[in-house]
Amino acid sequence: MKKFNFRKVLDGLTAASPVGSSGGGSGSGAGGSVHPGGTAGAAGTPREEIQETLTSDYFQICKTVRHGFPYLPTALAFDPVQKILAIGTRTGAIRILGRPGVDCYCQHESGAAVLQLQFLINEGALVSACADDALHLWNLRQKRPAILHSLKFNRERITYCHLPFQSKWLYVGTERGNTHIVNIESFILSGYVIMWNKAIELSTKTHPGPVVHLSDSPRDEGKLLIGYENGTIVFWDLRSKRADLRAYYDEAIHSVAWHHEGKQFMCSHSDGSLTLWNLKSPNRPFQTTIPHGKVQRDGKKPESCKPILKVEYKTCKNSEPFVIFSGGLSYDKPCRRPSLTIMHGKAITVLEMDHPIVDFLTLCETPYPNEFQEPYAVVVLLEKDLIVVDLTQSNFPIFENPYPIDIHESPVTCTEYFADCPPDLIPVLYSVGAKHKKQGYSNKEWPISGGAWNLGAQTYPEIIITGHADGSVKFWDASAITLQMLYKLKTSKVFEKQKVGEGKATAEIVEEDPFAVQMMYWCPESRIFCVAGVSAYVIVYRFSKHEVNTEIASLEVRLQCEVEDIITPEPETNPPFPDASSQLPSLKSLSGSTNTVACEGTMKDSIPCLSVKARPVRMPPGYQADLVIQLVWVDGEPPQQITSLAVNSAYGLVAFGNCNGLAVVDFMQKTVLLSMGTLDLYGSSDPYQRQPRSPRKSRQFAAGLTELSDSPVSLELERCKSPTSENRENSFSRSRSSSVSSIDRDSKEAITALYFMESFARKNDSAVSSCLWVGTGLGMVIILSLNLPASDDSRQSEPVTVSPSGTVLTLKGAVLTFACLDCMGTLTHQPYEVWRDPHSADDGDKTRKRKLVMHSPSSSQDMGDHQFAVICSEKQAKVFSLPSQTCLYVHNITETSFLLRADVVTLCNSVCLACFCANGHIMTLSLPSLRPLLDINYLPVTDMRIARTFCFTNEGQALYLSSPTEIQRLTYSQEMCDNLQDMLGDLFTPVETPEAQNRGFLKGLFGGSGQAFDREELFGEATAGKASRSLAQHIPGSGGIEGVRGAAGGVIGDLTRARIALDERGQKLGELDERTASMMASAEAFSKHAHEVMLKYKDKKWYQF
């Protein structure tokens, strides 16, 4: 017998899970397995035979890519040469987007909100200003950007930044009204400061407020325009260190924009007005407009409007300039949606948005501010969307967005992830989904087209499925770390629409989002898809390439439990197991009702929560509803939400359970085979001697539960709750009962896991048979035998029977997952029916014949005389040998916490058990021996969203919803971590900076002296001196050589390394130069002093000293 040593696999193991004890010996909560002795049957032999290939070297955790819309966006920037877009968020994240496939996520360690972003245009770098008054320089010349430098302001708060094109000096405005200058290369403050009291007139008695705008003149880089919040504008001459002109307006300024010639600028104000100023006459604006203000009849100034938060003023060579602004709408229309206004000549176009506007940017043909701008698009960042408007067409159509930023179109309630699925599925789903494409988009190419992306080595198909609060289900192509929507299914279409105001009168148990998808089950091979909804229903879908017009079949199931009906405590007298035709008497629940509707008039009984459409329904190609199964009200009690779901296409059965019991339905014959309480599933095998109990009044649980129960029932009830409630996401702490046989839980033994399998149902069976494995919230595993018609011809006519096998296995904690391994330790696939189109035009006998893949050879000898059953609960994992039912291996996974998700997955042609624990640990265990291979404290579960959406799949992949709008994918495979750099996109590609237009002799002579301005001479330490050390602190970043080591090889990586090495060498040479200069200066001073001494004493005699 092999022995496996207790050992820490990785340093990531912590004391989160202390050592516990188990029946066969002591098992460590974090890393020990228990191997109880057992000699029954052939149970001992396979432990010697199976050679497990996976070791801890195969595993490593790292994040791969984040999809979706950046959560709570705050800032926007665009590099017009590289054509990449950056979005900053309130949580300190930055998303950088280029062509499809180029999508990078990086995070400030502080988590402070991003206030502003500035690209170093065509330099492969980005400056971020954060709410903690820190500036950061990001290196984008590597696939995973890293911070090169940081500068933390100590005494002043940053309000605005401006980096002129091709300049290495960043202007930083502060809340105190001062303007500081930062050298981008060294990230050190210049001694040159524009103090607010020097900028404004001495006679001004009030503080001008924070700096809200900074920009250099397009005509003359030596002139800086400073906008202060209270309406003061200062045009500062950087050379002479004085104000060339000052302008005052009696409304607060929100933004300023230059005309490209540098003679005029436009301001937007808090009263909804735009003012146009001329540098030659700064006393007052030469044009003032309130674009959305009503013109008064008596010639007075138009009415004030809402503030114009930002304005952009862009010129065109062959047409009128564009004036684009956000806000500024009239106050008398409070219901109007947020809008972007485009003024082009006399035409004013108002584009209404679905969400508030965070920021917008106009994309122009040139990066040079002193040329005709030629705007071609506007990027509009909304609170929950990103829109790009085409300015080259008069109707301003929007571009079709190639990024998957509509994941959150309706809140995501559940996810499933399938790696290495059949290769024909993606094109098939895309072909039926492509027909739903919207029309009316711009015919131009998506303008954010920067970066480079290659397919990489990983080519197996991956599909992610998301279920949503509105009942929609989206299928996504997730191959090669990209994400593209394939197909959208609306499950709510099978039900009648609820008329407004009918909610209270109907039998709904959930007032908000009654169609929310709670659970999904997909068989990729047979293309059978099944959803369980929050209103206690299950829909079985079949896939067809043909449109069909048909009625939707529906069934109703009673599934409640009445503990007080059990008269005697002896398990022998429990109701006998029913045959296929019988229905169980109603069982009444004692606690955890999801009833939110007061019973009015007659008591609700035998009515479902929703109404299925009774008329024929047109179903387009794709997934078509085959059967709707609804749980009904019983004696005024609403049905409990579904907690487990399984479908098998080969058997033609769907099984689902909830807090009260289990239902099994034949979806081929459209009949209910079984509907009974959990207690009665045991038959005479109930391991607990349950006592009769008097019914007690218990508190009612609303469907949108706002807090998590502290009672031992918490896991079962948690799975009964509405997945759409956002309130409960903030609290995740709960106590768990260590006693699995707590008497308080008798009436609430939820069905938590279901699994159809060809297996040995009873001890010492000689051959496998069709089974349904049932796991409960008390850690009990019940095996039900399925008696299916022998021939395919009789499947539609002969009844299927479900009967107890008498086999009951036990674990500690609620059962989460099952799997089956053959005698060689290979994962056995569940039986399935090969997909055939149910509405195919060719209806011959050949097409009607079902093709089943049972994964069980005709003779049991071919398969081996035993198999392994892998069962994992929220506390422990066990491997049983069947048919002997000997427990071969036990691993106590956690004592102090509990598992949220466990999946048996394939990796490197082997199989393992992957677990995600509520304390944030991700663990993998070998199979069948349950040796710990990986244990890393990866992610603290801070809210229910992570718990609800975390899932593992094959090939070392996993995902979860990291925010309400974003999917985070990760890998636990060392091989994928190693290959990740090849799969990620390049953010920076070598592009020539476009040449500036020839300005002509006269313009060069009289158009200002922009080219002659030397910022280095003005702001450098030699002229301006050093800034106060207490003002800001320089923090070196981690993005130097260390950051580059992770960058991809090739020319760009080599160039990056060479550049950083040169920078470091230059820095060292600079320091050496400074030291040499300092030594020369001191030597010169010494020489001068010695000369003076010599002259003083030159003519004196010795006795005069």
Side-chain angles (χ1 to χ4, degrees), residues 580-600:
S581 60
S582 77
Q583 284 271 348
L584 213 88
S586 75
L587 297 162
K588 188 174 180 181
S589 130
L590 283 179
S591 66
S593 165
T594 52
N595 182 12
T596 59
V597 185
C599 293
E600 297 167 7

Side-chain angles (χ1 to χ4, degrees), residues 72 117 157 161 222 275 283 345 398 418 436-437 480 626 631 637 799 812 817 845 876 879 927 1013 1043 1079 1105:
L72 302 173
L117 294 170
R157 308 220 66 182
C161 296
T275 55
N283 297 331
I398 64 169
F418 298 86
H436 306 301
K437 294 274 183 191
D626 189 51
L631 294 180
E637 284 288 318
K812 188 161 59 172
T817 194
D845 290 336
Q876 66 178 186
V879 174
L927 288 176
F1013 176 60
M1079 286 168 69
F1105 284 101

Side-chain angles (χ1 to χ4, degrees), residues 801-859:
T801 56
V802 183
S803 57
S805 66
T807 300
V808 177
L809 307 173
T810 60
L811 284 86
K812 188 161 59 172
V815 178
L816 295 181
T817 194
F818 297 107
C820 199
L821 309 181
D822 66 17
C823 60
M824 302 308 294
T826 308
L827 185 63
T828 308
H829 198 292
Q830 289 179 288
Y832 64 88
E833 176 190 357
V834 176
W835 176 78
R836 62 198 175 106
D837 199 319
H839 305 298
S840 173
D842 178 17
D843 266 344
D845 290 336
K846 285 183 181 177
T847 55
R848 264 185 258 160
K849 186 86 174 165
R850 299 169 73 222
K851 184 180 177 185
L852 306 184
V853 179
M854 301 302 284
H855 290 286
S856 55
S858 53
S859 68

Side-chain angles (χ1 to χ4, degrees), residues 415-556:
T415 57
E416 290 296 336
Y417 190 5
F418 298 86
D420 212 5
C421 42
D424 60 334
L425 275 176
I426 288 174
V428 160
L429 286 167
Y430 184 76
S431 68
V432 293
K435 290 164 186 155
H436 306 301
K437 294 274 183 191
K438 291 180 185 172
Q439 302 300 314
Y441 288 113
S442 168
N443 53 11
K444 298 268 178 79
E445 290 281 315
W446 178 251
I448 304 160
S449 56
W453 180 74
N454 297 313
L455 195 60
Q458 178 197 324
T459 52
Y460 52 79
E462 296 172 72
I463 290 177
I464 292 171
I465 309 177
T466 54
H468 299 264
D470 64 354
S472 62
V473 174
K474 293 181 182 178
F475 290 74
W476 306 83
D477 176 6
S479 310
I481 70 169
T482 60
L483 196 69
Q484 182 184 10
M485 192 159 91
L486 294 170
Y487 174 68
K488 182 177 178 180
L489 171 68
K490 293 180 179 174
T491 63
S492 59
K493 285 194 170 180
V494 304
F495 299 106
E496 296 287 359
K497 283 184 181 174
Q498 296 293 331
K499 290 178 183 171
V500 179
E502 274 192 7
K504 284 274 187 271
T506 64
E508 284 185 36
I509 57 170
V510 183
E511 289 174 344
E512 282 186 34
D513 302 321
F515 306 114
V517 178
Q518 201 165 19
M519 234 170 242
M520 301 178 292
Y521 193 100
W522 190 42
C523 175
E525 289 80 12
S526 65
R527 301 186 191 172
I528 292 277
F529 181 64
C530 196
V531 295
V534 75
S535 298
Y537 61 81
V538 169
I539 310 174
V540 180
Y541 286 92
R542 287 182 184 269
F543 188 86
S544 173
K545 293 180 180 178
H546 302 279
E547 184 176 310
V548 67
N549 212 328
T550 183
E551 287 192 12
I552 301 166
S554 65
L555 290 172
E556 293 177 1

Side-chain angles (χ1 to χ4, degrees), residues 57-106:
D57 297 336
Y58 283 79
F59 296 92
Q60 177 61 45
I61 296 270
C62 74
K63 291 180 181 177
T64 54
V65 69
R66 186 173 289 213
H67 302 296
F69 182 75
Y71 185 53
L72 302 173
T74 53
L76 186 64
F78 183 71
D79 185 325
V81 180
Q82 286 289 322
K83 294 200 177 334
I84 56 174
L85 187 81
I87 299 172
T89 75
R90 202 182 300 169
T91 57
I94 298 175
R95 281 283 288 285
I96 302 167
L97 302 166
R99 66 178 65 241
V102 177
D103 183 343
C104 178
Y105 165 84
C106 30

Side-chain angles (χ1 to χ4, degrees), residues 45 84 91 113 199 268 310 350 373 416 435 455 578 732 775 842 929:
T45 52
I84 56 174
T91 57
S268 72
K310 183 174 182 179
V350 178
Q373 296 298 287
E416 290 296 336
K435 290 164 186 155
L455 195 60
F732 199 70
D842 178 17
S929 66

Side-chain angles (χ1 to χ4, degrees), residues 898-943:
F898 55 97
L899 292 188
L900 294 164
R901 180 82 185 208
D903 290 294
V904 174
V905 291
T906 57
L907 177 71
C908 302
N909 299 317
S910 193
V911 63
C912 65
L913 175 65
C915 308
F916 177 54
C917 194
N919 62 14
H921 283 245
I922 289 177
M923 292 162 272
T924 59
L925 304 172
S926 71
L927 288 176
S929 66
L930 299 177
R931 283 179 299 117
L933 299 171
L934 172 82
D935 187 338
I936 287 184
N937 189 359
Y938 167 76
L939 175 81
V941 181
T942 49
D943 54 45

